[in-house]
């Protein structure tokens, strides 16, 4: 009888000590002009890519076509991101921003993910 032992090595983890504020404002599109242009010219594609990068289903933003006057997917993604990154805010502000500035909210969320996604590089690590 043979048995297999699986060993999982600990992975390096870096916790972002960010502020409790968004890294950019809603209308800070000049911080990432190519991203803003992508969102302007092909918003459904941009929203789907951003949702996928966040870890959600690629097609989730397309469900917004079936919602009423309040974009529920955009609002819930923004609230989820606030909770994940410990950003202060209210559901009321999420609702207002999502309803009246939908493309700008998606651009802000994409910028925030880029800002908070710090790559970890191991220097001088030895592999056996």
């Amino acid at each position: 009888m043979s048995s297999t032992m699986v060993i999982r090595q600990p992975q390096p983890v870096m916790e972002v000590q960010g502020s409790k504020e968004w890294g950019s404002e809603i209308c800070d599109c000049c911080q990432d002009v190519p991203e803003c242009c992508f969102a302007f010219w092909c918003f459904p594609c941009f929203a789907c890519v951003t949702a996928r990068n966040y870890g959600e289903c690629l097609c989730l933003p397309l469900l917004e076509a079936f919602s009423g006057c309040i974009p529920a997917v955009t609002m819930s993604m923004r609230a989820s991101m606030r909770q994940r990154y410990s950003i202060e805010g209210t559901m009321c502000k999420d609702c207002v921003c999502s309803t009246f500035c939908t493309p700008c909210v998606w651009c802000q969320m994409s910028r925030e993910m880029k800002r908070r996604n710090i790559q970890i590089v191991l220097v001088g690590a030895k592999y056996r």
Side-chain angles (χ1 to χ4, degrees), residues 39-69:
F40 179 77
W41 293 109
C42 191
F43 177 67
C45 296
F46 177 77
C48 288
V49 168
T50 303
R52 184 197 61 207
N53 292 342
Y54 187 65
E56 293 295 335
C57 175
L58 174 71
C59 298
L60 181 67
L62 299 178
L63 293 174
E64 213 147 80
F66 302 108
S67 66
C69 58

Side-chain angles (χ1 to χ4, degrees), residues 52-116:
R52 184 197 61 207
N53 292 342
Y54 187 65
E56 293 295 335
C57 175
L58 174 71
C59 298
L60 181 67
L62 299 178
L63 293 174
E64 213 147 80
F66 302 108
S67 66
C69 58
I70 296 175
V73 173
T74 302
M75 189 174 84
S76 61
M77 283 277 296
R78 182 177 163 88
S80 173
M81 190 169 288
R82 278 193 313 99
Q83 192 234 354
R84 179 182 289 183
Y85 296 136
S86 300
I87 298 172
E88 292 178 350
T90 63
M91 285 298 291
C92 183
K93 186 171 181 178
D94 292 338
C95 183
V96 170
C97 291
S98 298
T99 302
F100 297 107
C101 306
T102 305
C104 296
V105 165
W106 281 96
C107 286
Q108 181 188 37
M109 290 190 296
S110 179
R111 288 190 305 267
E112 195 67 27
M113 284 189 299
K114 286 179 183 178
R115 181 178 160 272
R116 303 233 183 196

